[in-house]
Amino acid sequence: FGPVQKVELKSSEKKAPKVEQRADGVRLHVNFARVVFKESASVSKALEASDGRISSAAVLPLPGSTLKEEMKASKSLYRDAGELRQEIDEWMAGYDSREEEKRRLARESALVDEDGFVKVVTGITRAPDGEFAIRSAKKPGLTTGAFAEPIAGAPGD
């Protein structure tokens, strides 16, 4: 509408009109704005755009130049879908090759080292022929505590 000299905003909270709403924690807010324009012509434009009613959803339309700027800004937020898809595809192809390289290095590290010693790896790994090889197993823990004791009269007593 025109250049603005000052804007004053005031927000106040009011009690909900019904007891049930107050019990549910419903809060009502009333907002006021006072806009001081630098030029009187701007005031005339703003008053022409308003309909004179006080409403909870009173919104004045944006000036054309501001609307164009906001449209440009919203379009620049998103990348081109084709470029984004191509970048994701390249990254995923690279990811697959990186993961394969990690697996290959892990297999090579499990082989014999330069001194002739075989490196021992814990866990379950695949042997070169595709079979699983268990490198270590967890020892069974001792059953201790109140529930580890046999119950009198149970089978096996």
Side-chain angles (χ1 to χ4, degrees):
F1 300 105
V4 174
Q5 180 179 345
K6 179 172 68 169
V7 176
E8 296 174 3
L9 298 173
K10 180 182 176 186
S11 180
S12 60
E13 185 177 328
K14 296 192 172 196
K15 282 186 186 179
K18 296 182 180 178
V19 176
E20 300 86 20
Q21 291 174 334
R22 287 193 293 266
D24 288 340
V26 174
R27 296 179 179 165
L28 300 177
H29 295 275
V30 178
N31 299 313
F32 297 96
R34 181 175 177 241
V35 179
V36 179
F37 290 101
K38 289 183 179 179
E39 301 170 357
S40 60
S42 301
V43 175
S44 305
K45 289 179 187 176
L47 290 175
E48 287 173 10
S50 68
D51 59 3
R53 295 184 304 149
I54 296 176
S55 173
S56 62
V59 177
L60 296 176
L62 291 175
S65 60
T66 306
L67 186 60
K68 287 178 187 175
E69 289 173 11
E70 286 190 9
M71 292 296 290
K72 285 180 186 176
S74 67
K75 286 182 181 178
S76 66
L77 288 177
Y78 302 103
R79 297 172 54 184
D80 182 45
E83 292 174 5
L84 183 61
R85 169 56 75 189
Q86 182 180 1
E87 183 179 335
I88 290 171
D89 290 343
E90 290 171 3
W91 189 89
M92 289 303 291
Y95 175 81
D96 292 340
S97 63
R98 288 189 301 271
E99 289 298 311
E100 182 59 36
E101 181 68 19
K102 284 181 188 177
R103 281 190 226 107
R104 187 185 61 77
L105 289 174
R107 281 192 304 263
E108 289 176 1
S109 69
L111 300 176
V112 179
D113 65 4
E114 61 273 355
D115 295 330
F117 293 100
V118 175
K119 291 184 180 180
V120 178
V121 181
T122 62
I124 299 174
T125 57
R126 285 192 181 267
D129 60 354
E131 295 289 323
F132 286 109
I134 298 177
R135 303 284 184 189
S136 70
K138 186 176 179 181
K139 292 181 181 178
L142 297 174
T143 53
T144 59
F147 296 106
E149 298 176 11
I151 299 173
D157 280 349

